[in-house]
Amino acid sequence: MINVGVIGFGYWGPNVVRNLMSIVGMRVKMVCDSDPHNLKRAKALYPHLHFSLDYKEIIDSPFIDAVAIVTSVSTHYEIAKRALKKGKHIFVEKPMAKSSVEAMELIKIADSKKLVIMVDHTFLFTGAVAKIKELMDKNMLGDLYYYDSTRISLGLFQHDVNVIWDLAPHDFYIIDYLIRNKSCRISAIGIDHFNRGHENIAYITVHFKGGLIAHINTNWLSPVKVRNILIGGQKKMLVWNDLEADEKIKIYDRGISVDGQEGIYKMLVEYRSGDMIAPKLDTTEALKKEMVYFYECITKSQVPFNDGYAGLRVVEMLEATSRSLKQDGHEVCLHLSNP
Amino acid sequence: MINVGVIGFGYWGPNVVRNLMSIVGMRVKMVCDSDPHNLKRAKALYPHLHFSLDYKEIIDSPFIDAVAIVTSVSTHYEIAKRALKKGKHIFVEKPMAKSSVEAMELIKIADSKKLVIMVDHTFLFTGAVAKIKELMDKNMLGDLYYYDSTRISLGLFQHDVNVIWDLAPHDFYIIDYLIRNKSCRISAIGIDHFNRGHENIAYITVHFKGGLIAHINTNWLSPVKVRNILIGGQKKMLVWNDLEADEKIKIYDRGISVDGQEGIYKMLVEYRSGDMIAPKLDTTEALKKEMVYFYECITKSQVPFNDGYAGLRVVEMLEATSRSLKQDGHEVCLHLSNP
Amino acid sequence: MINVGVIGFGYWGPNVVRNLMSIVGMRVKMVCDSDPHNLKRAKALYPHLHFSLDYKEIIDSPFIDAVAIVTSVSTHYEIAKRALKKGKHIFVEKPMAKSSVEAMELIKIADSKKLVIMVDHTFLFTGAVAKIKELMDKNMLGDLYYYDSTRISLGLFQHDVNVIWDLAPHDFYIIDYLIRNKSCRISAIGIDHFNRGHENIAYITVHFKGGLIAHINTNWLSPVKVRNILIGGQKKMLVWNDLEADEKIKIYDRGISVDGQEGIYKMLVEYRSGDMIAPKLDTTEALKKEMVYFYECITKSQVPFNDGYAGLRVVEMLEATSRSLKQDGHEVCLHLSNP
Amino acid sequence: MINVGVIGFGYWGPNVVRNLMSIVGMRVKMVCDSDPHNLKRAKALYPHLHFSLDYKEIIDSPFIDAVAIVTSVSTHYEIAKRALKKGKHIFVEKPMAKSSVEAMELIKIADSKKLVIMVDHTFLFTGAVAKIKELMDKNMLGDLYYYDSTRISLGLFQHDVNVIWDLAPHDFYIIDYLIRNKSCRISAIGIDHFNRGHENIAYITVHFKGGLIAHINTNWLSPVKVRNILIGGQKKMLVWNDLEADEKIKIYDRGISVDGQEGIYKMLVEYRSGDMIAPKLDTTEALKKEMVYFYECITKSQVPFNDGYAGLRVVEMLEATSRSLKQDGHEVCLHLSNP
């Protein structure tokens, strides 16, 4: 039995607790939050648990094997470091840390103590990403031309990071998982309308070797919520609308064939427009699958694919966007870290 | 009675002819296209007109008062120049010319001969833009934060211009019409997947003085057609989905109020989420209204708001994107021309 | 060359003329409408045609081979009868006539003179119906359980028929074409909110032998336009949303399997939920294909599948709804006519 | 403190328990379900509660003040009767009972013991119904012409009731709540494709005095889930799509004005098509609001509007549909019960 303490019961923490409670082999023992209001909500739902305002109580407890860190970004490093040093496996929210230096340090501690770091890259556990991965593994999409993500909604303005650090990590870890191309050039342009020191709208472009271009539109000031990703391949193209109840993924048998010999006039007639398929997707809650995987990685001493290095690469991409932002969109070259 | 000759009967030309035919005071006399196949289609629909493979026949005819130039971009300048020199008013497709030098030359000829240049900025005549203009004139949206346009679909690949010159002019002339801010910085990033010398995917960002950021996502390789524009203002925000049959414009009473004194925690509670209104829009065909306006400008010797200078400013913005593209997205500063 | 006269240039007539003009082998010679305003619109578009306020001029002309009757229902019989007697082939709007007696009389005249009657059952020529027919011919849907149509919008209130006679013919001829089951029981319930003698909202249910139930929801008072049809089969189910630009037809691999032996509890686990496919559809304008078919039937002396009998069966179903309406929804048994 | 026992932890029971746990003044003490699998799920989530396979344990416990009955329809009467006799307030799923005789008996017992019966008419507590009620109370819609509901999806086939008893109660209690018109004529047509003794598709029509027609389309065999209600009034019309995340209610300023003097031709020009408004709705979970109301009715000895009589009227309407179904849609006249 893995005994787990959960640090942070704000927006996402309740989901972590609820899913942990349904997993055979894991047991939530303690919940901590520095905000008494959050703690009160937790107590009403789970009166049988232990509660604390101080996360150190969880970390220092000898009865806790693993810690879920579901707090704001700026606190990840400090909490995670203490937890690892105390010999706890950690599950930590994305992005893993404020800097790649911090992330690397956490990786080293975990390595030296043979502890699991799992970074909460939730979408990798959705039926949608599983299907896209499957299509790509079977080369159903062909070479990728572009990945175009729109991730916009009204708020919530974070106080310690900009809109990119809030929303783009999802796209960064999805791209990293799908294409495993470690060499890229990143540029980012944004604006901070309220002089808060953090951009509230930003556009990111990433050129990967081999012709794939990724673009991410992030916006905290949109009146409508959009979570829409287009992936264009040589053979097939797909649209992933994560807000659709059914039919989140639509695969289009559409594209063009270019005939270099005969030039543009030939090309114009080679448009292909076939059927669209919305494949049935696994609808198991992603966070539940991720938690089961966390359990397996701990008990089988396995390295998760969403390990510290996956978390580090996301932080590296975020740092590159910050550098580019400061230089009005100047491209930053990047070689992502691997074990 | 204004007698009109139409040059070009490909994709858009038939709409120009059809609308001209319904306008009292204008009469289509001739249609020209260098492609015999297009000419044959024209003849089947309008057997009573004159036809020619050579546009010069229209321009040189003494029975023609005005010429509609509905050909590919690279031919606009040559045709328009000859037409103006022969004393014809011109209605010319967007973008007006291949370069600002060409555009400026056409403006000068027209000025010296007191002829009308109207650039086909069709969307300015839609019920949607009319409504947005009305809202802005009444300051219903408040100061603008952003203009975010997604203009993607499968093809058609143009042979003489890139995806920006094909799709972005719509956004450029709409922004120019709505905000009349002549000072901006433009950057553009794109990719040419097929080594054709023309980008097929490109992302444009424009910073206007005063904090407005515009972003335009153009893509010829999308499996789905999207024509979606978000405009975020301090007071209201709106979404314009041009592919909706009804409810093209949705105005949201949503936003945030930032209280600088009390910092982020205060701000977080100041989200505003009220009703959404989809106002009734004028559904008259935009091109018809534009043609009526063309007639009025000719007969009343009036300068249209979509005149040569409006066309020139669009070309100036396009040229800036081309410069930025060549420099991997480096920002280009721009002061747009005014009479 | 088949010379055609078109009677009626109101809402649908212009589409008939436009399509006829694009067909090799047919030539529109005259257009007639009793409303001078409509005639004026026709003249502006097609100055080279002949025009008349009196339909008899068309029918009596020796230069006319075929007549398209695009007028209100109550006038079909009189015009069609005169045209057939004068030896003209006819293309007549749905529903073919005000009564089955009238329809039968027209069929007999046409038979005796070997003339073509084609009833304008336009949707049979859409890519959507072609695809559904193909699926059914290949037994891809399995036995049909239901056909459920929602055909609602705001107006237009017809002055000579109720909402059923206006909207339900589409469903009646589609069902007749797809299932060819001539034995059914019909009931209809409706309401006439404005005491005009014609229902403005009505619900029709048809039981066909073998367990298929059809339901049609017709409404002239809906704030939104809906053209939605669900077809549920043992193997597959489909949704046809005719107002979708793309993806009009969605085929769902969903259903249930009932195991009679083990009762309901077994049944509950036998839900099937697989992929959805939106097949590529032929997007040729249906009316154009219908016109080409009209030309072929005339020139090859062929009996169209949308012949007088098809039109008659629709009228028989409409008459049955009228009888049921008068009896508060009492079922009316019906054996549809066949040659 | 009101101590509550929850009977039934299948599909809906977990929601009842979760909401009860968040209400100050109520405490869930026991959960019962005859299915050990369901009980196990309950234990995993709420290890601190008492559990039983036998509902009588809850009812007979002296520590329980109120009972939530969340079981299949056929068991409501027996459980509710025993609970009331033991002096417990009851919250019972819709429909309240299998027959109006049963429902009336429960009402009488409750009355004699001054106990609260609340029937779970959840949608009455949604922001959507609250908004519609508000519009009607202010006479914003004008006289109602129609209420048209589509309530279709794939399954779940109930084993003790037909599709009407499963889905139509929602519409019956909403209409009863909104229009309070106790005199109507009901007809229903359905089909039982699998010879299970229960219709799986059925269409219900209700004529209310004064010209309102209600229609309910219920279907357990639809490949897509639809929860769509149109309400047409003289002044405004609205569409309630309950599956929309935002904008569940859209109010259209559309309609017609009929001028009896001048007949149909005048009427045709009197279409009104104005703005659409999607009002902001209260998004509190309906079941939570209902539970708070249950608490208030118990503690303040108040009669809820969703009391036994409201439940009885729904059962009376259901019985009428059953009678009509047996007579192939013959209309059944009905006077709904009032205290």
Side-chain angles (χ1 to χ4, degrees):
Chain A
M1 180 65 63
I2 309 290
N3 290 307
V4 188
V6 177
I7 300 171
F9 201 82
Y11 167 68
W12 192 240
N15 295 322
V16 171
V17 173
R18 177 173 49 78
N19 277 288
L20 278 169
M21 294 196 71
S22 70
I23 291 168
V24 178
M26 295 187 110
R27 185 163 45 198
V28 180
K29 298 283 280 187
M30 289 184 80
V31 168
C32 141
D33 199 296
S34 56
D35 180 343
H37 175 71
N38 287 341
L39 222 52
K40 197 177 161 192
R41 281 193 303 135
K43 272 183 200 170
L45 283 166
Y46 308 105
H48 64 290
L49 299 182
H50 297 275
F51 299 95
S52 173
L53 287 161
D54 180 5
Y55 75 85
K56 297 190 201 81
E57 241 184 276
I58 284 184
I59 289 175
D60 298 349
S61 161
F63 304 110
I64 295 291
D65 306 302
V67 169
I69 302 165
V70 202
T71 56
S72 57
V73 182
S74 54
T75 66
H76 290 179
Y77 167 72
E78 184 191 326
I79 301 174
K81 187 173 169 184
R82 188 179 183 110
L84 290 167
K85 288 203 163 170
K86 291 280 181 175
K88 320 296 190 197
H89 304 284
I90 64 167
F91 176 86
V92 59
E93 267 320 285
K94 58 86 198 164
M96 181 188 182
K98 286 191 308 294
S99 72
S100 51
V101 171
E102 286 181 0
M104 198 64 229
E105 193 185 337
L106 296 178
I107 291 170
K108 283 186 182 152
I109 302 173
D111 277 1
S112 70
K113 296 186 156 253
K114 305 218 178 297
L115 293 168
V116 171
I117 296 181
M118 179 172 283
V119 186
D120 183 13
H121 291 172
T122 327
F123 279 105
L124 302 187
F125 298 84
T126 57
V129 170
K131 177 56 72 176
I132 297 171
K133 186 73 165 64
E134 179 197 325
L135 291 168
M136 289 185 61
D137 286 348
K138 292 178 180 166
N139 197 24
M140 302 279 279
L141 303 181
D143 290 342
L144 292 198
Y145 292 135
Y146 64 87
Y147 172 102
D148 188 330
S149 171
T150 305
R151 227 171 255 285
I152 64 178
S153 40
L154 193 61
L156 304 183
F157 279 65
Q158 307 289 312
H159 69 276
D160 58 349
V161 291
N162 67 12
V163 69
I164 293 180
W165 283 68
D166 180 31
L167 297 174
H170 293 300
D171 295 297
F172 286 159
Y173 68 66
I174 291 168
I175 294 172
D176 182 56
Y177 177 69
L178 291 177
I179 70 162
R180 304 184 179 286
N181 188 328
K182 303 303 174 224
S183 190
C184 62
R185 290 173 291 134
I186 292 190
S187 63
I189 298 180
I191 192 162
D192 169 16
H193 283 106
F194 310 105
N195 295 312
R196 298 176 51 254
H198 298 303
E199 287 77 12
N200 51 286
I201 294 178
Y203 306 102
I204 306 150
T205 314
V206 192
H207 286 280
F208 288 94
K209 272 206 174 148
L212 170 66
I213 189 168
H215 186 261
I216 308 163
N217 180 334
T218 60
N219 187 335
W220 274 339
L221 270 185
S222 168
V224 287
K225 184 173 182 178
V226 180
R227 295 290 183 267
N228 207 47
I229 292 166
L230 283 86
I231 299 180
Q234 201 180 359
K235 295 183 180 173
K236 294 261 170 80
M237 297 179 177
L238 66 82
V239 179
W240 168 17
N241 180 349
D242 200 59
L243 305 184
E244 281 269 336
D246 270 345
E247 305 165 20
K248 281 182 197 293
I249 298 272
K250 295 183 175 179
I251 306 162
Y252 293 85
D253 183 17
R254 291 189 186 160
I256 62 155
S257 307
V258 183
D259 188 330
Q261 298 308 102
E262 307 185 37
I264 178 66
Y265 295 104
K266 175 66 179 170
M267 192 179 70
L268 281 172
V269 299
E270 295 282 2
Y271 287 91
R272 190 181 74 252
S273 179
D275 298 351
M276 179 273 274
I277 295 182
K280 178 178 158 63
L281 301 179
D282 181 357
T283 55
T284 314
E285 189 173 353
L287 188 52
K288 173 155 188 182
K289 284 200 283 189
E290 195 176 20
M291 287 299 169
V292 170
Y293 184 52
F294 185 43
Y295 172 77
E296 285 173 10
C297 289
I298 292 172
T299 52
K300 299 181 185 168
S301 298
Q302 206 178 312
V303 177
F305 52 76
N306 52 334
D307 64 351
Y309 278 100
L312 169 60
R313 286 192 294 274
V314 168
V315 174
E316 288 171 335
M317 295 178 93
L318 291 169
E319 286 178 330
T321 64
S322 297
R323 280 200 296 279
S324 181
L325 276 174
K326 279 190 197 143
Q327 303 171 63
D328 295 326
H330 192 88
E331 281 195 350
V332 173
C333 287
L334 199 58
H335 291 276
L336 299 166
S337 293
N338 241 348
Chain B
M1 180 65 63
I2 308 289
N3 290 306
V4 188
V6 177
I7 300 172
F9 201 81
Y11 167 69
W12 191 239
N15 295 322
V16 172
V17 173
R18 178 173 48 79
N19 278 288
L20 279 170
M21 294 196 70
S22 70
I23 291 169
V24 178
M26 296 187 111
R27 184 163 46 198
V28 180
K29 297 284 280 186
M30 290 183 78
V31 168
C32 143
D33 199 297
S34 56
D35 181 342
H37 174 72
N38 287 340
L39 222 51
K40 197 178 159 192
R41 280 194 303 135
K43 274 183 199 170
L45 282 165
Y46 308 105
H48 63 291
L49 299 183
H50 297 276
F51 299 95
S52 173
L53 287 161
D54 181 4
Y55 74 84
K56 297 192 201 77
E57 240 185 277
I58 284 183
I59 288 175
D60 299 349
S61 162
F63 305 110
I64 295 291
D65 307 302
V67 169
I69 302 166
V70 202
T71 57
S72 57
V73 182
S74 54
T75 66
H76 289 179
Y77 168 72
E78 185 190 326
I79 300 173
K81 188 174 169 183
R82 187 180 185 111
L84 291 167
K85 288 201 165 170
K86 291 281 180 175
K88 319 295 191 199
H89 303 284
I90 65 166
F91 176 86
V92 59
E93 268 318 285
K94 57 88 200 162
M96 180 189 185
K98 285 190 310 294
S99 72
S100 52
V101 172
E102 286 182 359
M104 198 64 230
E105 193 185 336
L106 296 177
I107 291 170
K108 282 184 183 155
I109 303 173
D111 276 359
S112 68
K113 296 184 157 253
K114 305 220 177 296
L115 292 168
V116 171
I117 295 181
M118 179 173 283
V119 186
D120 183 13
H121 291 172
T122 325
F123 278 106
L124 302 187
F125 297 85
T126 57
V129 171
K131 176 57 71 177
I132 297 171
K133 185 76 165 64
E134 178 196 325
L135 292 168
M136 288 184 61
D137 285 349
K138 292 179 181 164
N139 197 24
M140 303 279 280
L141 303 181
D143 290 341
L144 292 198
Y145 292 134
Y146 63 87
Y147 172 102
D148 188 329
S149 171
T150 305
R151 228 172 254 284
I152 63 177
S153 42
L154 193 61
L156 305 181
F157 279 65
Q158 308 288 312
H159 69 278
D160 58 351
V161 292
N162 68 12
V163 68
I164 293 179
W165 284 68
D166 180 30
L167 297 174
H170 293 299
D171 295 298
F172 286 159
Y173 68 66
I174 291 168
I175 294 172
D176 182 56
Y177 177 69
L178 290 177
I179 71 163
R180 303 184 181 285
N181 187 328
K182 303 303 175 223
S183 190
C184 63
R185 291 173 291 134
I186 292 191
S187 63
I189 298 181
I191 191 162
D192 170 15
H193 282 108
F194 309 105
N195 295 312
R196 297 175 53 252
H198 297 303
E199 288 76 12
N200 51 285
I201 294 178
Y203 306 101
I204 306 150
T205 313
V206 192
H207 285 280
F208 288 93
K209 272 206 174 151
L212 171 66
I213 188 168
H215 186 261
I216 308 165
N217 180 335
T218 61
N219 187 335
W220 275 338
L221 270 185
S222 168
V224 288
K225 184 173 182 178
V226 179
R227 295 290 184 267
N228 207 47
I229 292 165
L230 283 86
I231 298 179
Q234 201 180 356
K235 294 184 181 172
K236 293 263 169 79
M237 297 180 177
L238 66 82
V239 179
W240 168 18
N241 180 350
D242 199 59
L243 305 184
E244 281 270 337
D246 271 344
E247 306 166 20
K248 281 182 198 293
I249 298 271
K250 295 183 175 178
I251 305 163
Y252 293 84
D253 183 17
R254 291 191 187 159
I256 62 155
S257 307
V258 183
D259 188 331
Q261 299 307 102
E262 309 185 36
I264 178 67
Y265 294 103
K266 176 66 178 170
M267 191 179 72
L268 281 171
V269 298
E270 296 283 0
Y271 288 92
R272 188 180 76 252
S273 179
D275 297 351
M276 179 273 274
I277 296 182
K280 179 177 158 61
L281 302 179
D282 180 358
T283 56
T284 315
E285 190 173 351
L287 188 51
K288 173 156 187 181
K289 283 200 284 188
E290 195 176 19
M291 287 299 170
V292 170
Y293 184 52
F294 186 43
Y295 172 77
E296 286 174 8
C297 289
I298 292 173
T299 53
K300 300 182 185 166
S301 299
Q302 205 178 313
V303 177
F305 52 78
N306 52 334
D307 64 351
Y309 277 100
L312 168 62
R313 287 192 293 273
V314 169
V315 174
E316 287 172 336
M317 295 178 92
L318 292 169
E319 285 178 331
T321 63
S322 295
R323 281 200 295 278
S324 182
L325 276 174
K326 279 190 197 143
Q327 302 172 62
D328 295 325
H330 193 88
E331 282 195 348
V332 173
C333 287
L334 199 58
H335 291 277
L336 298 166
S337 293
N338 240 348
Chain C
M1 180 63 65
I2 308 290
N3 290 307
V4 188
V6 177
I7 300 171
F9 201 82
Y11 167 68
W12 192 239
N15 295 322
V16 172
V17 172
R18 177 173 49 80
N19 278 288
L20 278 169
M21 294 196 69
S22 70
I23 292 168
V24 178
M26 296 189 110
R27 185 163 46 198
V28 180
K29 297 282 281 187
M30 289 184 79
V31 168
C32 142
D33 199 296
S34 56
D35 181 342
H37 174 73
N38 287 341
L39 221 52
K40 197 178 160 192
R41 279 193 304 136
K43 273 182 199 171
L45 282 166
Y46 308 105
H48 63 292
L49 300 182
H50 297 273
F51 300 96
S52 173
L53 287 161
D54 181 5
Y55 75 84
K56 297 192 202 77
E57 242 185 275
I58 282 183
I59 289 175
D60 297 351
S61 161
F63 305 111
I64 296 291
D65 305 302
V67 169
I69 302 166
V70 202
T71 57
S72 59
V73 183
S74 54
T75 66
H76 289 179
Y77 167 71
E78 185 190 326
I79 301 173
K81 189 173 169 184
R82 187 179 184 110
L84 291 168
K85 287 204 164 167
K86 292 280 182 175
K88 319 295 193 200
H89 304 283
I90 64 166
F91 175 85
V92 60
E93 266 320 285
K94 59 86 200 164
M96 179 189 184
K98 286 190 310 295
S99 73
S100 52
V101 171
E102 286 181 359
M104 197 65 230
E105 194 184 335
L106 296 177
I107 291 170
K108 282 184 183 154
I109 302 172
D111 276 0
S112 69
K113 296 186 156 251
K114 305 218 177 297
L115 292 167
V116 170
I117 296 181
M118 179 172 284
V119 186
D120 183 12
H121 291 172
T122 326
F123 279 105
L124 302 187
F125 297 86
T126 56
V129 170
K131 177 56 71 176
I132 298 171
K133 186 75 164 66
E134 179 197 325
L135 291 169
M136 289 184 62
D137 286 349
K138 292 179 180 166
N139 196 27
M140 303 280 279
L141 303 181
D143 291 341
L144 292 197
Y145 292 134
Y146 64 88
Y147 173 102
D148 188 329
S149 172
T150 304
R151 230 172 251 284
I152 64 179
S153 40
L154 192 62
L156 301 186
F157 280 65
Q158 307 288 311
H159 68 277
D160 59 349
V161 293
N162 67 14
V163 69
I164 294 179
W165 284 69
D166 180 31
L167 297 175
H170 293 300
D171 295 298
F172 286 159
Y173 68 66
I174 291 167
I175 295 171
D176 182 56
Y177 176 69
L178 290 177
I179 72 163
R180 305 185 178 287
N181 188 328
K182 303 300 176 228
S183 189
C184 63
R185 293 172 289 134
I186 291 190
S187 64
I189 298 180
I191 190 161
D192 169 16
H193 282 108
F194 308 106
N195 296 312
R196 299 177 50 252
H198 297 304
E199 288 77 10
N200 51 284
I201 294 177
Y203 306 101
I204 307 151
T205 315
V206 192
H207 285 280
F208 288 92
K209 273 207 173 150
L212 171 66
I213 189 168
H215 186 262
I216 308 164
N217 180 335
T218 60
N219 188 335
W220 274 338
L221 270 185
S222 168
V224 286
K225 183 172 183 178
V226 180
R227 295 291 184 266
N228 207 45
I229 292 166
L230 282 86
I231 300 180
Q234 202 180 356
K235 295 182 181 174
K236 293 262 170 80
M237 299 179 174
L238 67 82
V239 179
W240 168 18
N241 180 351
D242 200 58
L243 304 185
E244 280 269 337
D246 270 344
E247 305 165 22
K248 282 181 195 296
I249 298 272
K250 294 183 175 179
I251 305 163
Y252 293 84
D253 183 19
R254 292 190 187 161
I256 62 155
S257 306
V258 183
D259 188 330
Q261 298 307 104
E262 308 185 38
I264 177 67
Y265 294 106
K266 175 67 178 170
M267 192 179 70
L268 281 172
V269 299
E270 296 283 1
Y271 288 91
R272 189 181 73 254
S273 179
D275 297 350
M276 178 274 272
I277 296 182
K280 180 178 156 62
L281 301 179
D282 181 358
T283 54
T284 315
E285 189 174 352
L287 188 52
K288 172 154 190 183
K289 284 199 281 188
E290 196 175 20
M291 287 300 169
V292 169
Y293 185 51
F294 185 44
Y295 172 76
E296 285 174 8
C297 289
I298 291 173
T299 53
K300 300 180 184 168
S301 300
Q302 205 178 313
V303 177
F305 53 75
N306 52 334
D307 65 350
Y309 278 100
L312 169 61
R313 287 192 293 274
V314 169
V315 174
E316 288 172 336
M317 295 179 92
L318 291 169
E319 286 178 332
T321 63
S322 296
R323 282 201 295 280
S324 181
L325 275 175
K326 279 189 196 144
Q327 301 172 63
D328 296 325
H330 193 87
E331 281 196 350
V332 173
C333 288
L334 198 58
H335 292 277
L336 298 166
S337 293
N338 241 347
Chain D
M1 181 65 64
I2 308 290
N3 291 307
V4 188
V6 177
I7 300 172
F9 200 82
Y11 167 69
W12 192 239
N15 294 323
V16 172
V17 173
R18 176 173 50 79
N19 278 288
L20 278 169
M21 294 195 71
S22 70
I23 291 169
V24 178
M26 297 188 110
R27 184 162 46 198
V28 181
K29 298 284 280 188
M30 289 184 80
V31 168
C32 141
D33 198 297
S34 56
D35 181 342
H37 174 73
N38 288 342
L39 223 51
K40 198 178 159 191
R41 280 195 302 135
K43 273 182 201 173
L45 282 166
Y46 308 104
H48 64 291
L49 300 182
H50 297 273
F51 301 95
S52 173
L53 287 161
D54 181 4
Y55 75 84
K56 295 190 202 79
E57 242 185 277
I58 282 183
I59 289 175
D60 298 351
S61 161
F63 305 109
I64 295 290
D65 307 301
V67 169
I69 304 167
V70 201
T71 56
S72 57
V73 182
S74 53
T75 66
H76 289 179
Y77 168 72
E78 185 190 324
I79 301 173
K81 188 174 168 182
R82 187 178 184 112
L84 291 167
K85 288 202 164 169
K86 291 281 181 174
K88 319 295 192 201
H89 304 284
I90 64 167
F91 175 86
V92 60
E93 266 320 285
K94 58 86 201 162
M96 180 189 182
K98 285 190 311 294
S99 73
S100 52
V101 172
E102 286 181 1
M104 198 64 230
E105 194 184 335
L106 297 177
I107 290 170
K108 282 184 183 155
I109 302 172
D111 277 0
S112 70
K113 295 185 158 253
K114 307 217 177 295
L115 293 167
V116 170
I117 297 182
M118 179 172 285
V119 187
D120 183 12
H121 290 172
T122 326
F123 279 105
L124 302 187
F125 298 85
T126 57
V129 170
K131 177 57 70 176
I132 297 171
K133 185 76 164 64
E134 177 197 325
L135 291 168
M136 289 184 61
D137 287 349
K138 292 179 180 166
N139 196 26
M140 303 279 279
L141 304 181
D143 290 342
L144 293 198
Y145 292 135
Y146 63 87
Y147 172 102
D148 188 328
S149 171
T150 304
R151 228 171 253 284
I152 65 180
S153 41
L154 192 62
L156 302 183
F157 280 65
Q158 307 288 312
H159 69 277
D160 59 349
V161 292
N162 67 14
V163 70
I164 293 179
W165 284 68
D166 180 31
L167 297 175
H170 293 300
D171 295 297
F172 287 159
Y173 68 67
I174 291 168
I175 295 172
D176 183 56
Y177 177 68
L178 290 177
I179 71 164
R180 305 184 179 286
N181 187 328
K182 303 304 175 223
S183 190
C184 63
R185 292 171 291 134
I186 291 190
S187 64
I189 298 181
I191 190 161
D192 169 15
H193 283 107
F194 309 104
N195 295 311
R196 298 176 51 252
H198 297 304
E199 287 77 10
N200 50 286
I201 295 177
Y203 306 102
I204 306 151
T205 316
V206 192
H207 285 280
F208 288 94
K209 272 206 173 149
L212 171 66
I213 189 169
H215 186 261
I216 308 163
N217 180 335
T218 60
N219 188 335
W220 274 338
L221 271 185
S222 168
V224 287
K225 183 171 183 178
V226 181
R227 296 289 183 269
N228 208 45
I229 292 165
L230 282 85
I231 298 180
Q234 201 180 356
K235 295 184 182 173
K236 295 261 171 80
M237 299 181 176
L238 66 83
V239 178
W240 168 17
N241 180 350
D242 200 59
L243 304 184
E244 281 269 338
D246 270 343
E247 305 165 21
K248 281 182 198 293
I249 298 272
K250 294 183 175 179
I251 305 163
Y252 293 86
D253 183 17
R254 291 190 187 161
I256 62 156
S257 307
V258 182
D259 186 331
Q261 298 308 102
E262 309 184 35
I264 178 67
Y265 294 104
K266 176 67 178 168
M267 192 178 69
L268 281 172
V269 297
E270 295 283 2
Y271 288 92
R272 190 181 71 253
S273 180
D275 297 350
M276 179 273 273
I277 295 182
K280 179 177 157 62
L281 302 178
D282 181 358
T283 55
T284 315
E285 189 173 353
L287 189 52
K288 171 152 189 184
K289 284 199 281 189
E290 195 175 21
M291 286 300 170
V292 170
Y293 185 51
F294 186 43
Y295 172 76
E296 286 174 7
C297 288
I298 292 173
T299 52
K300 300 181 184 167
S301 299
Q302 205 178 313
V303 177
F305 52 77
N306 53 334
D307 66 350
Y309 277 100
L312 170 61
R313 287 192 294 273
V314 168
V315 174
E316 288 173 336
M317 296 179 93
L318 292 168
E319 286 178 331
T321 64
S322 296
R323 282 201 294 280
S324 181
L325 276 174
K326 279 189 195 143
Q327 301 172 63
D328 296 325
H330 192 87
E331 281 196 350
V332 173
C333 288
L334 199 57
H335 292 277
L336 298 167
S337 293
N338 240 347

